[in-house]
Amino acid sequence: MSTPVIAKPVADAAAVKGGATVGQRLTSFMPVIALVTLLAALTIADPDFLTQRSLTAAVRTSAPLVVLAAGATLVVLCGGIDLSIAALCSLSTVFFAMWLPDLGGLTTLAVIAAAGAIGAVQGLAHVTLRIPSFIVTLGGMSIFSAVALVISDAGPIRIVDRDATKWLTLYVGGYLPMAFVVAVIVVAVVALVLKLTPLHSYITATGYSESAARLAGTPVDLVKVGAFTVSGACAGLAAVMLVSRNFSGSPTMADNLLLPAVAAIVVGGTAITGGHGSIWRSLVGALVITLLRVGLPIVGVPSAWEQILYGAIIVVAVALTLDRSKVLIIK
């Protein structure tokens, strides 16, 4: 009697084990090249831009975007997408404003924990109900926006006690904003944990080929839930940063950060199909996007064109980073 043979996904396994291609290596340098080029162009357009004051303002502005993009990058590396980060961030600012009178200094931790738990629920819905992450987070975006509007009475909630967020308004060495330092620390901690644990291999394998990763014994579902949890927690931290800057919580405060966050991820060279990318590159991508936001008025581009530019950047960046060997049919 013949022995049955189980076909193994050879191509997928090779993709998981293989090193980076030449195109991927070139892509890894694109964010830095784009950042340097953009900085030079803005300096030429306005020689006063390259000053300590302007650069300090730019990196301080980039801090919430860096944190949002860093968390969402983990989801993208797993082959998913988190479209709810901006809405969850806005909802978290409302949570902060409402909880601050009762929790005081613990409000920051409470908001981050609550946002992380919400992210975990989305991850569980994705893996247990087998619903695409796009649909889960699209629904989450709508739910979070509606809840924020309802509990805030569709208006901003002013924060009178600013001591809880005062530490984020300080400057390290008198020049470097504390908010940006915290953002870099978050990126460094996540990157270090990935490097020193099997998580990097798990996430990369899941992103390259989920079926091959499962055959290799990777806890794919747990990895995905963890990625969504970190993404949610980062949205909560970004909310605290926004509150420290605006002294209020608002149901729409972070809504304009979704496209910039996605653009920062793809500009950073993370493949939207998953499996290839870096948290550090997303940080550089966030700086590029921030310089664009700051620099558009300098070169005389109306702010109305900002969303058009983000859309174009996302399309071009995805076209350059998309791993077409994994997507045989484009729908």
Side-chain angles (χ1 to χ4, degrees):
M1 185 176 69
S2 61
T3 303
V5 177
I6 300 176
K8 296 183 179 180
V10 178
D12 289 345
V16 173
K17 294 180 180 179
T21 64
V22 175
Q24 290 172 342
R25 291 192 182 96
L26 290 175
T27 301
S28 65
F29 291 101
M30 286 175 55
V32 177
I33 295 173
L35 180 63
V36 174
T37 302
L38 184 58
L39 191 60
L42 291 176
T43 303
I44 294 173
D46 183 5
D48 293 333
F49 178 78
L50 198 62
T51 61
Q52 180 266 325
R53 181 178 180 181
S54 297
L55 295 178
T56 297
V59 295
R60 184 169 185 263
T61 302
S62 71
L65 182 59
V66 169
V67 175
L68 274 180
T73 298
L74 293 180
V75 178
V76 175
L77 285 172
C78 290
I81 188 71
D82 190 350
L83 298 177
S84 67
I85 49 175
L88 180 55
C89 184
S90 295
L91 175 60
S92 297
T93 67
V94 176
F95 284 160
F96 191 96
M98 295 179 65
W99 296 348
L100 182 60
D102 296 323
L103 297 180
L106 296 176
T107 308
T108 296
L109 295 177
V111 167
I112 294 174
I118 292 173
V121 170
Q122 289 194 116
L124 287 170
H126 168 52
V127 301
T128 58
L129 302 178
R130 299 300 175 188
I131 303 175
S133 59
F134 177 87
I135 300 300
V136 171
T137 57
L138 184 64
M141 178 175 64
S142 178
I143 293 171
F144 303 152
S145 296
V147 171
L149 286 170
V150 170
I151 65 177
S152 67
D153 291 329
I157 302 176
R158 186 181 177 186
I159 293 177
V160 178
D161 182 10
R162 301 178 181 178
D163 290 339
T165 58
K166 186 177 180 180
W167 61 281
L168 282 171
T169 64
L170 302 176
Y171 289 83
V172 177
Y175 298 102
L176 197 59
M178 179 62 75
F180 183 72
V181 172
V182 171
V184 173
I185 290 175
V186 169
V187 171
V189 168
V190 174
L192 193 61
V193 170
L194 292 180
K195 183 177 181 180
L196 298 180
T197 66
L199 285 175
H200 183 268
S201 299
Y202 290 164
I203 291 175
T204 301
T206 301
Y208 269 127
S209 174
E210 186 172 324
S211 58
R214 290 184 186 276
L215 289 174
T218 300
V220 172
D221 291 347
L222 190 60
V223 168
K224 286 186 173 183
V225 173
F228 275 100
T229 302
V230 174
S231 181
C234 285
L237 177 57
V240 178
M241 292 178 173
L242 290 175
V243 168
S244 71
R245 196 166 65 194
N246 295 289
F247 308 117
S248 66
S250 170
T252 59
M253 183 173 290
D255 288 1
N256 64 340
L257 290 181
L258 177 58
L259 272 181
V262 174
I265 294 171
V266 294
V267 167
T270 297
I272 203 69
T273 46
H276 175 71
S278 167
I279 302 292
W280 286 109
R281 294 180 202 166
S282 293
L283 185 153
V284 179
L287 292 176
V288 171
I289 297 301
T290 300
L291 284 181
L292 282 174
R293 298 177 70 183
V294 173
L296 287 178
I298 293 178
V299 296
V301 177
S303 58
W305 286 80
E306 191 172 302
Q307 298 298 318
I308 297 175
L309 183 61
Y310 291 152
I313 287 173
I314 291 173
V315 172
V316 172
V318 169
L320 293 174
T321 60
L322 182 66
D323 185 358
R324 289 172 178 79
S325 65
K326 294 167 57 180
V327 187
L328 300 180
I329 299 176
I330 305 295
K331 295 185 177 181

